Amino acid sequence: MLGNFSYHNPTKLYFGDDSLQYLNEELPKYGTTVQLIYGGGSIKKIGLYDEIVAILKANGKTIVEDAGVMPNPTVDKLNEGVRLARENHVDLLLAVGGGSCCDYAKAVSVSVHCNDDPWEKYYIRFEEPDCEIVPVGCVLTMTGTGSEMNGGSVITNHAQKLKIGHVFGDEVMPKFSILNPKYTMSLPKRQMVAGIYDIFNHICEQYFSGEDDNTSDYIAEALMKSVVHSSLIAVENPDDYEARSNIMWTATWALNTLISRGKSTDWMVHMIGQSVGAYTDATHGMTLSAVSLPYYRTIMPYGLKKFKRFATEVWDICSDGKTDEEVANEGLAAMEGWMKKLGLAMNISELGATEDMLEGIAEGTFILDGGYKVLTKEEIIEILKQSM
Ligand code: NZQ
Ligand code: ZN
């Protein structure tokens, strides 16, 4: 049975190969000073930086450059961004890039007018903002995280070896996001497939929990089938606009607060993956792919009915004459085959994890209780060992 819920998503989306022009409609809604947030330079290579600067200037905006947001943005970078925003009395934070830029922009947005230490307040104590929030807009160039239409913001603290996400409420979510699938075509294959697996796993995290018959699970299955289908086209032909646009749209719906409504969720692959990330700084999607199969094979007996459904509905496994366990295992094997075809990381050693890190990674893993099995620390260590 679906639980009770409210649903509201305030982010306005502009989707398509002409979507950048709508920045002209959004900019007049905000004051004069825009903090232009981007990463290591990919937006300059594809000419997007020049286009956006031209639009900002045409709209009479003063630009505060905030470059160098790294994948897995750090608390040090956050503090630098907050200083810039304060010194320049910024009116809008415009993130141009992937999930890292969008997440970082949200972290800055709740920290500019905050009197407390943002890391301690939002990421250690998980408090909600009680200050003015600077609005955020996004122009997305990498798909996967869903950050363009959610309140998630993940920050890494290397000194404390912690990577933590805070899911903020409506008031922190981007006011608008511009999604042009063409921007994603310059992604290196490794980043593209990492993003694709991130999408798939976001859906799994919300699917592998509960055993009720509910609409959310049917939507999840459709989204999984779409991303598997389009991913196989995109790895062969990265310039296929139809596949890239389907992947981009699926990424948004996979984590824009819709499919989790009314049901419990798991999120343990992300908890383990994030802790692997804190130790290795590896690409987010790869940390997930590397731990997923050992995790799902561990919890499968506790959610057998759903794993069987996953096999038949997502992977078209025929169940005739087979036990539920056989069907469920065949589903996971099909998923493994797909992951290998994409070229995903299948173990954490290749991401730089070593035996001596496993205890600390397990220690840094938040144990959540929404899935089929509440893990013990020993079980997490065992999953990590199997992921080596
Ligand atoms: O920095 P630049 O030069 O832009 O290069 C980036 C970066 O190196 C590159 N890139 C992006 N667009 C490109 C491009 N290269 C060529 N052409 C383009 N069009 O890709 C690299 C990775 O970018 P990044 O933004 O780090 O990737 P992603 O979108 O996967 O974001 C990862 C971050 O989001 C967090 C992750 O933990 C990680 O910190 N997440 C956020 C979530 C949320 N907000 O809800 C949920 C996710 O589960 C995730 O945890
Ligand atoms: Zn993710």
Side-chain angles (χ1 to χ4, degrees):
M1 190 189 76
L2 273 184
N4 304 344
F5 60 86
S6 67
Y7 182 67
H8 172 241
N9 192 310
T11 304
K12 180 159 187 178
L13 297 179
Y14 298 95
F15 190 96
D17 60 3
D18 69 343
S19 48
L20 190 61
Q21 60 174 304
Y22 296 101
L23 196 51
N24 289 302
E25 283 187 15
E26 289 296 330
L27 289 175
K29 298 177 187 168
Y30 306 96
T32 50
T33 309
V34 178
Q35 187 155 329
L36 179 56
I37 292 168
Y38 58 100
S42 69
I43 66 161
K44 290 193 171 167
K45 281 194 202 132
I46 62 174
L48 182 57
Y49 174 85
D50 289 341
E51 279 185 75
I52 287 181
V53 166
I55 294 174
L56 288 169
K57 285 188 176 158
N59 282 273
K61 301 295 179 186
T62 304
I63 301 170
V64 176
E65 286 265 339
D66 186 1
V69 178
M70 61 292 281
N72 311 319
T74 63
V75 71
D76 293 338
K77 179 65 188 163
L78 168 61
N79 291 334
E80 188 187 311
V82 171
R83 185 181 49 75
L84 265 180
R86 283 181 183 160
E87 282 172 11
N88 295 284
H89 305 287
V90 161
D91 300 302
L92 174 70
L93 298 158
L94 184 62
V96 187
S100 292
C101 288
C102 303
D103 278 20
Y104 165 84
K106 288 177 228 171
V108 173
S109 81
V110 293
S111 304
V112 178
H113 300 287
C114 172
N115 296 324
D116 215 328
D117 175 71
W119 171 256
E120 289 291 327
K121 180 177 172 69
Y122 300 124
Y123 295 93
I124 298 295
R125 299 200 301 271
F126 285 100
E127 288 172 14
E128 295 311 317
D130 44 18
C131 60
E132 187 189 330
I133 296 163
V134 181
V136 169
C138 301
V139 180
L140 202 66
T141 66
M142 148 117 198
T143 54
T145 64
S147 190
E148 67 275 13
M149 204 184 189
N150 70 36
S153 170
V154 183
I155 295 294
T156 298
N157 186 322
H158 286 299
Q160 295 178 13
K161 288 214 178 330
L162 290 172
K163 180 177 182 184
I164 299 177
H166 186 129
V167 181
F168 292 102
D170 286 7
E171 65 290 356
V172 184
M173 287 164 67
K175 301 290 176 226
F176 64 90
S177 285
I178 290 172
L179 311 184
N180 181 343
K182 283 199 168 157
Y183 299 153
T184 67
M185 288 180 184
S186 56
L187 276 169
K189 181 181 173 236
R190 193 180 155 79
Q191 290 296 342
M192 176 182 80
V193 297
I196 287 168
Y197 190 71
D198 194 21
I199 301 167
F200 189 83
N201 191 255
H202 290 158
I203 308 168
C204 290
E205 300 276 29
Q206 298 163 93
Y207 181 76
F208 288 120
S209 53
E211 288 198 352
D212 308 328
D213 179 29
N214 68 55
T215 300
S216 296
D217 287 334
Y218 292 99
I219 302 173
E221 285 160 1
L223 292 173
M224 286 194 263
K225 284 162 91 156
S226 172
V227 76
V228 169
H229 173 78
S230 297
S231 68
L232 294 171
I233 297 169
V235 283
E236 286 300 318
N237 180 11
D239 292 336
D240 188 301
Y241 183 81
E242 189 175 54
R244 297 308 284 254
S245 54
N246 280 329
I247 292 168
M248 193 169 217
W249 193 218
T250 309
T252 304
W253 282 95
L255 195 53
N256 73 350
T257 69
L258 176 81
I259 63 170
S260 61
R261 288 310 87 178
K263 72 187 296 285
S264 54
T265 54
D266 182 348
W267 292 108
M268 279 311 296
V269 169
H270 270 68
M271 293 304 105
I272 301 171
Q274 267 175 214
S275 195
V276 170
Y279 276 75
T280 59
D281 207 24
T283 299
H284 171 66
M286 297 301 192
T287 64
L288 308 177
S289 62
V291 303
S292 279
L293 285 159
Y295 174 70
Y296 288 129
R297 288 190 170 122
T298 302
I299 65 159
M300 192 188 80
Y302 304 92
L304 192 54
K305 205 170 139 198
K306 195 60 154 293
F307 278 92
K308 180 186 174 190
R309 176 173 163 170
F310 175 68
T312 58
E313 300 308 308
V314 180
W315 299 102
D316 294 327
I317 304 293
C318 171
S319 59
D320 292 354
K322 296 172 193 162
T323 65
D324 287 358
E325 203 167 17
E326 281 166 349
V327 177
N329 272 321
E330 280 186 40
L332 289 178
M335 175 177 149
E336 183 171 9
W338 168 69
M339 291 169 75
K340 287 183 173 162
K341 225 182 256 179
L342 293 191
L344 291 161
M346 299 304 284
N347 60 67
I348 57 175
S349 321
E350 64 182 283
L351 303 176
T354 49
E355 288 284 347
D356 59 314
M357 292 179 185
L358 302 189
E359 180 77 27
I361 293 173
E363 198 59 53
T365 299
F366 287 83
I367 297 176
L368 306 177
D369 61 4
Y372 290 122
K373 166 90 177 74
V374 182
L375 296 183
T376 62
K377 193 183 147 193
E378 290 66 38
E379 284 167 327
I380 295 173
I381 291 181
E382 190 49 41
I383 288 165
L384 289 168
K385 281 185 182 157
Q386 287 169 21
S387 307
M388 288 294 283

